[in-house]
Amino acid sequence: MGPLIEITTVPIQIEMKTTNAKLEYARGTAEMEISRDNGNLSIKSRPVKVQIDTFEARNSITPTLARSLEQNAQKGHESAYEATATYANQGQLLLKAQVGEEMVTQFAKDAMMKDVKTNVGIQFLPSVPPEITWDPGEMNIRYEMDKLSIDWKMNEGGFEFTPGDIEFTVTQRPEVIVKYIGGPIYVPPSSDPNYEPVDVKV
């Protein structure tokens, strides 16, 4: 009679995956930004400003009514003062000396000479020059040079370390397979169609 049970064992299967450690160096990077601001030139000038006031000069040629009245009044005052002074001088001379033809003749000559001096008719016009004033000229120049800006952005290089790794994967679990390989078992044994009685010798 052969064996009735077959026992099979399946071993465990493990897959191991390893990753080596590595050290990497990252290079530094550099970025450059250039910006430019344009300069400018501005020139501001102001010419000479001349101011000419001809009011007094025009009044000396053709005076206004108010100025004419004022000038005539002034001349009247001056003439009165001169006449008073002349008469006073002549009165003093008459008191000191005897009145004669020579004194009267001298008075007449003085009066004629005075008229000649004052009525010659020569006069420079305008008698008052114009008043001239001026503001000096001005020039402002402003120049600004171009501006060039350079901006550097540096990233320093560095080392990057990646540690090693070990990975285990179970691809097959362990098993024990028990298989019955015998024939059917009859109870009682005599019911087996192929039953053969056991010969027992006494």
Side-chain angles (χ1 to χ4, degrees):
M1 186 175 180
L4 301 176
I5 298 174
E6 181 182 9
I7 300 174
T8 304
T9 60
V10 178
I12 188 173
Q13 292 183 1
I14 299 175
E15 181 180 349
M16 183 177 66
K17 183 180 180 181
T18 61
T19 302
N20 297 328
K22 58 183 178 179
L23 181 65
E24 296 179 343
Y25 174 72
R27 293 183 178 180
T29 59
E31 296 180 359
M32 182 178 64
E33 295 182 358
I34 299 176
S35 60
R36 181 176 182 177
D37 297 333
N38 295 327
N40 54 14
L41 174 65
S42 61
I43 300 176
K44 295 182 180 180
S45 63
R46 186 182 65 186
V48 178
K49 184 177 181 181
V50 180
Q51 300 174 351
I52 302 176
D53 187 3
T54 60
F55 180 77
E56 296 295 336
R58 286 185 287 107
N59 277 333
S60 65
I61 299 174
T62 307
T64 61
L65 179 60
R67 181 59 63 87
S68 178
L69 294 175
E70 182 181 354
Q71 291 177 354
N72 291 331
Q74 183 68 26
K75 290 180 179 179
H77 284 291
E78 293 177 356
S79 298
Y81 291 148
E82 291 179 0
T84 302
T86 301
Y87 291 148
N89 291 331
Q90 291 177 357
Q92 290 179 359
L93 291 175
L94 291 173
L95 291 175
K96 293 180 180 180
Q98 293 180 356
V99 177
E101 294 182 359
E102 294 181 1
M103 186 64 66
V104 175
T105 303
Q106 184 64 34
F107 290 161
K109 289 181 179 179
D110 292 340
M112 291 178 61
M113 292 301 295
K114 182 179 180 181
D115 292 336
V116 171
K117 291 180 181 179
T118 57
N119 297 322
V120 292
I122 298 175
Q123 184 178 4
F124 293 98
L125 296 177
S127 60
V128 179
E131 183 178 355
I132 300 175
T133 59
W134 66 88
D135 295 333
E138 183 179 357
M139 176 177 288
N140 295 324
I141 300 176
R142 180 178 179 182
Y143 174 69
E144 186 175 354
M145 298 179 62
D146 295 349
K147 295 180 180 179
L148 184 64
S149 301
I150 301 176
D151 187 11
W152 288 90
K153 297 181 179 179
M154 301 290 295
N155 293 327
E156 297 181 357
F159 291 93
E160 182 179 357
F161 175 71
T162 303
D165 186 21
I166 300 176
E167 181 180 355
F168 292 94
T169 305
V170 178
T171 60
Q172 178 64 51
R173 296 178 180 276
E175 296 184 40
V176 177
I177 302 174
V178 180
K179 183 178 181 182
Y180 177 75
I181 60 176
I185 299 175
Y186 296 92
V187 179
S190 59
S191 61
D192 186 359
N194 296 324
Y195 176 74
E196 294 178 359
V198 178
D199 188 10
V200 179
K201 295 180 180 180
V202 179

